[in-house]
Amino acid sequence: MSLDRRDGILALDGLKLSEVAETFGTPCYVYSAASIIRNYQAFEHAFAEINPLICYAVKANSNLSILALLASMGAGFDIVSSGELERVRLAGGSPQRSVFSGVGKTAREIQDALREDIHCFNVESEAELSALARIAEDAQLIAPVSLRVNPDVDPKTHPYIATGLKEAKFGVSMQQAERIYQEAAKHPHLRMVGIDCHIGSQITEIEPYLEAATRLFEMVDQLTKTGLQLQHVDLGGGMGIRYQNEPAFPLEELARWLKPRLDERQLELILEPGRSIVADSGLLITEVLYIKSSEDKHFCVVDAAMNDLIRPSLYNAWQKIESIEPAGTDTEALHYDVVGPICETGDFLAKDRLLNTAAGQRLAVLDAGAYGFVMSSNYNSRPRAAEILIEAGTARVIRPRESLSALVKDELGCLTSS
Ligand SMILES: *Cc1c(COP(=O)(O)O)cnc(C)c1O
């Protein structure tokens, strides 16, 4: 994203973040439309000769205005629930360009997606496939199916977001896949159109993709020999971003490797990037409430907490933090743990960061556009933060800060008067 300093003040796409904070309050998420567009176009350009269906993974950031922006650029979507399907529809996205992933689709969710004429069901088990066949038959429809296989490759990422190892709950094993394809191919209400995998998230190396794709191509070839011709290969998402000093993900190299292998088999390509489209397009602004020092530790207590941004607590994730205001002359740079107001020792946004700041100043937690707001909660009865989008030089609210009354409204209706 395009960050610089104006009069010493951190600015995003030319707008001073101190002014954004004053206008909209803190904590707030701020996203750059220009950055989202650039990241999406980076995929389009790198894969131009393949012309894949790029299905943005909605779970990374599902704000309707962001989905609408991506839909306007022609993106498809990777959804994991009826809620996400509803968001895609409301944002003007196309269900026919969307794939439905997830290990636990309910009957209702399958019905919804069938009715919306979804591009493909990424099926994760034999049991789900049977349920899908039954529901499609009841509805007198034919379900387009891709089988999510588990290629058993190590994406070398955090264990919670490594999803392609054989002990993971996702997909079916390569050993089982062929038999499942053969049986499903006979079902009159299933159409076997593809094969997919998603091996993890925040992957910074290309090798795990090449290994996974190689196994998928082997399966495609095996099926072709028996007369079952698939139409697409879906390699999922997971492309990593540079939070700290990770290498940039080599999209062009992946495209160059894939192109002849797809052509040879007359396969289309689907990709499901989430993080790599939105993560570095967003930041979280938080205000310093108190500075607190003991003999051997300095804490910077801020107004954002693990309920707003859980990645540091959940994955021990590192996100860069910058002061928005210029360093004061009466304060010194110290190593701080940046912590929120929640009653948990695990409530921190960062540890041991050198910052020159003071109560009343604001900090920006960078690279917070993916798995940030979407994972936020009301823990400690904290209303969820506002979301702001900067587009064409102006900042506007795309989700207002939650009100205290909204927080209790549903329960108030259930209170029995004594
Ligand atoms: C989460 C997920 C994605 C997106 O992953 P990113 O790391 O955000 O790119 C894509 N496909 C599936 C099936 C997922 O579960």
Side-chain angles (χ1 to χ4, degrees):
M1 75 166 64
S2 180
L3 279 173
D4 58 5
R5 297 243 166 219
R6 313 249 155 149
D7 313 319
I9 293 169
L10 192 66
L12 172 56
D13 291 351
L15 294 192
K16 289 181 185 171
L17 291 174
S18 52
E19 290 172 13
V20 173
E22 266 139 47
T23 308
F24 302 105
T26 60
C28 69
Y29 278 94
V30 187
Y31 309 115
S32 158
S35 172
I36 293 170
I37 292 170
R38 267 196 308 276
N39 289 340
Y40 181 78
Q41 288 177 342
F43 271 87
E44 283 192 327
H45 292 155
F47 289 89
E49 289 190 22
I50 297 175
N51 193 24
L53 175 58
I54 303 171
C55 292
Y56 166 70
V58 173
K59 76 176 192 284
N61 185 324
S62 58
N63 185 287
L64 291 183
S65 298
I66 285 174
L67 299 184
L69 178 63
L70 286 161
S72 75
M73 287 190 289
F77 296 91
D78 170 43
I79 59 163
V80 294
S81 68
S82 280
E84 288 191 351
L85 177 56
E86 179 70 357
R87 284 179 178 274
V88 166
R89 284 195 321 99
L90 291 171
S94 160
Q96 293 84 30
R97 291 172 65 73
S98 301
V99 297
F100 193 174
S101 301
V103 287
K105 304 173 188 78
T106 65
R108 168 61 81 66
E109 288 179 319
I110 292 171
Q111 284 159 2
D112 283 351
L114 266 178
R115 208 175 306 124
E116 292 291 340
D117 195 16
I118 198 120
H119 186 70
C120 186
F121 287 86
N122 288 354
V123 168
E124 302 224 13
S125 65
E126 263 187 292
E128 181 193 334
L129 192 62
S130 308
L132 177 58
R134 201 173 51 240
I135 295 164
E137 188 164 1
D138 286 349
Q140 282 303 298
L141 293 168
I142 296 173
V145 176
S146 163
L147 206 54
R148 176 168 177 176
V149 294
N150 190 330
D152 192 24
V153 300
D154 183 358
K156 303 185 186 76
T157 184
H158 189 283
Y160 287 7
I161 52 177
T163 50
L165 285 164
K166 65 175 184 301
E167 60 266 32
K169 70 177 175 182
F170 301 99
V172 301
S173 71
M174 299 300 288
Q175 289 72 26
Q176 296 175 307
E178 191 184 341
R179 176 182 53 79
I180 300 174
Y181 269 109
Q182 300 300 357
E183 285 170 18
K186 294 182 209 141
H187 198 287
H189 290 275
L190 299 176
R191 190 157 46 87
M192 304 310 283
V193 295
I195 184 166
D196 65 286
C197 68
H198 171 71
I199 54 177
S201 196
Q202 186 51 20
I203 301 168
T204 54
E205 292 171 20
I206 193 173
E207 284 73 20
Y209 284 92
L210 305 190
E211 271 181 56
T214 299
R215 300 205 183 144
L216 265 55
F217 287 139
E218 283 166 9
M219 179 61 61
V220 168
D221 294 343
Q222 190 62 31
L223 294 172
T224 303
K225 272 194 221 140
T226 67
L228 176 53
Q229 174 67 45
L230 298 183
Q231 289 156 28
H232 78 248
V233 160
D234 176 349
L235 293 178
M239 296 79 183
I241 69 135
R242 315 184 72 167
Y243 287 103
Q244 199 162 5
N245 42 29
E246 297 92 335
F249 188 88
L251 282 182
E252 282 81 8
E253 197 185 332
L254 180 58
R256 263 198 310 279
W257 188 92
L258 284 170
K259 169 77 175 150
R261 290 164 174 86
L262 291 163
D263 284 352
E264 184 189 324
R265 298 172 175 87
Q266 299 187 349
L267 288 169
E268 285 159 25
L269 177 67
I270 297 180
L271 296 170
E272 303 168 355
R275 185 193 309 270
S276 50
I277 305 286
V278 288
D280 69 358
S281 305
L283 50 79
L284 173 65
I285 304 182
T286 183
E287 182 173 316
V288 178
L289 299 174
Y290 304 105
I291 297 293
K292 170 173 169 174
S293 294
S294 63
E295 290 68 28
D296 43 23
K297 236 172 149 63
H298 302 289
F299 292 100
C300 181
V301 184
V302 298
D303 67 357
M306 65 188 284
N307 76 297
D308 299 300
L309 178 64
I310 203 174
R311 296 188 65 254
S313 306
L314 186 60
Y315 310 120
N316 215 8
W318 190 99
Q319 293 183 220
K320 191 171 187 190
I321 297 193
E322 286 209 36
S323 294
I324 290 176
E325 284 85 6
T329 48
D330 51 344
T331 55
E332 54 173 332
L334 294 169
H335 281 93
Y336 286 106
D337 281 7
V338 180
V339 302
I342 285 186
C343 312
E344 298 250 358
T345 304
D347 177 28
F348 62 90
L349 297 179
K351 295 212 158 148
D352 203 27
R353 297 297 174 83
L354 189 64
L355 293 166
N356 186 339
T357 190
Q361 295 210 336
R362 272 127 339 177
L363 304 175
V365 184
L366 305 190
D367 302 320
Y371 306 107
F373 181 88
V374 284
M375 293 181 96
S376 65
S377 75
N378 294 125
Y379 188 38
N380 279 211
S381 288
R382 291 167 52 85
R384 273 174 295 186
E387 291 182 285
I388 311 299
L389 182 66
I390 298 181
E391 203 167 14
T394 54
R396 68 182 173 94
V397 175
I398 54 172
R399 189 182 204 276
R401 182 177 311 287
E402 215 167 9
S403 66
L404 290 180
S405 57
L407 215 55
V408 294
K409 179 172 73 62
D410 292 346
E411 290 159 60
L412 260 182
C414 303
L415 266 185
T416 51
S417 47
S418 47

